[in-house]
Amino acid sequence: PVINDKNLSDTEKINMLKKHFELLLNDKNEKVALLEIRSHALWYLKGLEGSAKIKNLICSSKSAGEIFNILNEFLNSFKK
């Protein structure tokens, strides 16, 4: 089934991105997963308010932990 991203909340998109990254990490080594999630993250974050900064942080991150921290902080910003 095709997922229409217009029906997903920003929180759902971020959680889906985190799950996607977890699956990549289970299947590939961290370096490869980091490279692959960068291009996917740009799609997941497209159109979200404040996403330009997050995209830049993700693309310059050096570890899986950094990416999860960035995404968790971004999620927390929705709750404020």
Side-chain angles (χ1 to χ4, degrees):
V2 175
I3 297 174
N4 182 347
D5 67 329
K6 291 177 177 42
N7 294 331
L8 297 174
S9 71
D10 293 351
T11 299
E12 289 171 317
K13 289 179 185 180
I14 301 300
N15 286 329
M16 191 179 298
L17 171 56
K18 288 170 60 176
K19 182 64 176 176
H20 189 160
F21 190 39
E22 288 171 8
L23 293 171
L24 281 173
L25 289 167
N26 288 335
D27 191 47
K28 302 171 188 280
N29 70 52
E30 184 177 13
K31 183 177 180 179
V32 172
L34 279 168
L35 293 173
E36 288 190 19
I37 202 60
R38 288 175 180 168
S39 62
H40 295 292
L42 300 179
W43 181 84
Y44 281 103
L45 298 170
K46 183 178 180 181
L48 273 65
E49 187 175 332
S51 66
K53 178 183 174 186
I54 303 306
K55 291 175 188 177
N56 288 333
L57 289 171
I58 287 173
C59 287
S60 64
S61 62
K62 306 267 190 265
S63 71
E66 269 186 80
I67 289 183
F68 284 115
N69 286 338
I70 291 163
L71 293 174
N72 287 333
E73 286 179 23
F74 193 44
L75 272 176
N76 288 336
S77 73
F78 297 153
K79 298 173 186 171
K80 293 179 180 176

